[in-house]
Amino acid sequence: MSKFLSVHGVRIYSVLAALVPALLILWPNVPWEAIVATSAALLGVGVAAATHEDTKTSNALAAPADLD
């Protein structure tokens, strides 16, 4: 499961972030506290996902090239 999250983490995050406005359309009477908490959680997950992707990119750039 952690391998799946490592590979597809940003995709999962973007699906969750896209669902928030859709859910607000379906349920317009959601308390504003829930919206703020969800937005804060999505921002935190977004930072973690970006950091993970940056680490993967840095590791790929630091790896020696296979010229075979």
Side-chain angles (χ1 to χ4, degrees):
M1 183 68 170
S2 64
K3 175 72 173 168
F4 179 81
L5 288 176
S6 176
V7 173
H8 301 289
V10 175
R11 289 183 180 105
I12 294 168
Y13 165 76
S14 47
V15 167
L16 291 175
L19 281 177
V20 171
L23 292 176
L24 289 174
I25 291 170
L26 290 174
W27 294 293
N29 297 328
V30 176
W32 68 270
E33 294 91 350
I35 298 168
V36 170
T38 303
S39 299
L42 284 172
L43 286 173
V45 171
V47 169
T51 303
H52 180 71
E53 289 297 318
D54 289 345
T55 302
K56 288 190 332 187
T57 302
S58 297
N59 290 341
L61 290 173
D66 186 20
L67 300 175
D68 290 335

